[in-house]
Amino acid sequence: MAELREVQITEEKPLLPGQTPEVAKTHSVETPYGSVTFTVYGTPKPKRPAILTYHDVGLNYKSCFQPLFQFADMQEIIQNFVRVHVDAPGMEEGAPVFPLGYQYPSLDQLADMIPCILQYLNFSTIIGIGVGAGAYVLSRYALTHPDTVEGLVLINIDPNAKGWMDWAAHKLTGLTSSISEMILGHLFSQEELSGNSELIQKYRNIIAHAPNLDNIELYWNSYNNRRDLNFVRGGDTTLKCPVMLVVGDQAPHEDAVVECNSKLDPTQTSFLKPGKLTEAFKYFLQGMGYMASSCMTRLSRSRTASLTSAASIDGNRSRSRTLSQSSESGTLSSGPPGHTMEVSC
Ligand code: BEZ
């Protein structure tokens, strides 16, 4: 496994008082499916997993995760973890366009590249955060390497292969729409697209004028050719770690995420919508034993009271089974019955 490139950059995010700038370091490693680039923020913390992110189609780690990771409320969480942000091959900033005929890795092969990254960094376990195609990749990785995944946050996941109806719709759309419009249709709802807000215009512009649009199309094709993850609740093919499922309001994948939720272990799975993401993530980590309740800001502690209908926050929980979903109510519960924290969606 040869290292190809290593670039050190100093991150420009606004600093909190008393904070020193974090150094971000970009690396590339060679894998059986080609090279993969990833950027590491922070320093490894003893006895803690790394947070590893995987972005969606049409984006890279920065355009996908910068808004979340630079959100003020996220700072007290992420300072406790080293973060590894993976760019799918050809999606890193300045990536050259792959030559014609290049065989882009399948999503399963993208998942198979992750052990090379962890081995290179000498990290043994992760908490994964994935969006869309990235959520699929991390789920596949967790199915094949369950002992190395302590938790997963899966945003807008569709665990199913495309059925023939989806293919027919996809082909029809392809007759009238450009690749960039099809990808926008994957990232945003029709309502959001027709609203054409500044955010939509920004992403439309980024994707339509991306110098690596041909590479993006290859990742898009791999996503559309994904196989079924075949989650079966109570079966062998299910995620063993705590999972936080997140779906956007009006997201195109809402039904798929709801169905996914029905196939995962309800004692290990939480389900929520994004307004509460940062706070829910904090409780998720806390439930795994990684955030003492004393680390929670007064603000978030007081917000908890207004968020919860039946709140009892127990900071001494065991690592597993903390945030569990009450499927029927669409609420997020923490801990065994009687120790329930609910976040209304
Ligand atoms: C981070 O702090 O992990 C981060 C910073 C910028 C972009 C994405 C992530």
Side-chain angles (χ1 to χ4, degrees):
M1 184 169 61
E3 183 199 331
L4 300 179
R5 199 155 36 94
E6 209 172 81
V7 185
Q8 187 154 327
I9 51 167
T10 306
E11 193 38 41
E12 312 129 358
K13 70 182 170 190
L15 295 175
L16 299 174
Q19 236 188 355
T20 45
E22 256 186 343
V23 171
K25 210 168 173 192
T26 299
H27 312 254
S28 294
V29 291
E30 211 35 62
T31 81
Y33 307 104
S35 90
V36 62
T37 300
F38 49 94
T39 304
V40 181
Y41 286 76
T43 47
K45 307 286 182 287
K47 302 206 183 121
R48 274 174 188 261
I51 290 180
L52 183 141
T53 70
Y54 217 109
H55 64 85
D56 203 355
V57 176
L59 306 171
N60 56 29
Y61 92 85
K62 262 198 187 159
S63 52
C64 193
F65 291 107
Q66 188 156 286
L68 175 65
F69 279 75
Q70 293 200 338
F71 187 53
D73 285 0
M74 248 331 234
Q75 301 315 305
E76 71 170 304
I77 305 176
I78 61 173
Q79 70 190 3
N80 296 300
F81 294 89
V82 61
R83 286 92 66 198
V84 182
H85 301 288
V86 183
D87 277 318
M91 307 304 139
E92 64 277 15
E93 275 174 13
V97 173
F98 289 121
L100 214 62
Y102 173 79
Q103 181 68 48
Y104 197 81
S106 66
L107 294 197
D108 291 7
Q109 290 170 334
L110 294 179
D112 283 342
M113 291 169 139
I114 293 175
C116 300
I117 300 174
L118 298 184
Q119 196 185 341
Y120 172 82
L121 293 170
N122 204 15
F123 292 167
S124 47
T125 63
I126 61 163
I127 292 172
I129 306 182
V131 183
Y136 180 105
V137 170
L138 291 182
S139 300
R140 175 66 71 200
Y141 173 74
L143 287 175
T144 49
H145 298 81
D147 296 343
T148 67
V149 183
E150 295 197 29
L152 280 177
V153 178
L154 303 175
I155 303 168
N156 293 343
I157 187 171
D158 185 345
N160 301 321
K162 269 183 182 288
W164 68 268
M165 289 274 280
D166 303 315
W167 270 114
H170 182 75
K171 291 281 171 223
L172 271 178
T173 318
L175 293 177
T176 51
S177 306
S178 60
I179 287 292
S180 57
E181 282 305 315
M182 285 168 70
I183 293 173
L184 284 165
H186 162 75
L187 297 173
F188 299 100
S189 68
Q190 277 317 310
E191 290 80 0
E192 285 169 316
L193 289 175
S194 39
N196 202 26
S197 64
E198 253 178 52
L199 184 85
I200 300 290
Q201 288 173 37
K202 179 180 152 192
Y203 279 95
R204 181 168 272 138
N205 198 36
I206 291 175
I207 297 173
H209 299 110
N212 62 340
L213 187 57
D214 290 351
N215 295 353
I216 294 176
E217 182 171 357
L218 296 176
Y219 187 21
W220 175 236
N221 291 342
S222 288
Y223 177 66
N224 287 311
N225 285 315
R226 69 192 178 277
R227 42 184 199 116
D228 221 294
L229 281 171
N230 273 322
F231 289 143
V232 181
R233 187 173 274 183
D236 285 341
T237 326
T238 197
L239 296 170
K240 306 278 192 291
C241 61
V243 179
M244 193 167 112
L245 287 174
V246 184
V247 65
D249 271 330
Q250 310 171 340
H253 313 286
E254 193 161 355
D255 294 347
V257 181
V258 171
E259 190 196 329
C260 179
N261 181 51
S262 73
K263 291 182 180 168
L264 292 175
D265 178 351
T267 66
Q268 293 277 45
T269 308
S270 338
F271 183 39
L272 76 157
K273 293 191 174 192
K276 318 280 192 309
L277 180 56
T278 308
E279 192 143 16
F281 184 45
K282 202 179 314 188
Y283 297 134
F284 185 69
L285 294 173
Q286 194 186 20
M288 295 164 77
Y290 290 122
M291 296 274 299
S293 52
S294 59
C295 287
M296 290 162 60
T297 57
R298 242 177 27 167
L299 178 64
S300 63
R301 258 184 261 135
S302 65
R303 246 192 260 137
T304 309
S306 61
L307 280 172
T308 56
S309 52
S312 156
I313 303 161
D314 174 2
N316 297 321
R317 260 181 212 121
S318 67
R319 276 230 179 139
S320 55
R321 296 216 209 171
T322 327
L323 287 169
S324 64
Q325 200 248 333
S326 129
S327 309
E328 289 76 23
S329 63
T331 55
L332 202 156
S333 336
S334 178
H339 293 264
T340 304
M341 177 189 75
E342 297 188 345
V343 181
S344 312
C345 298

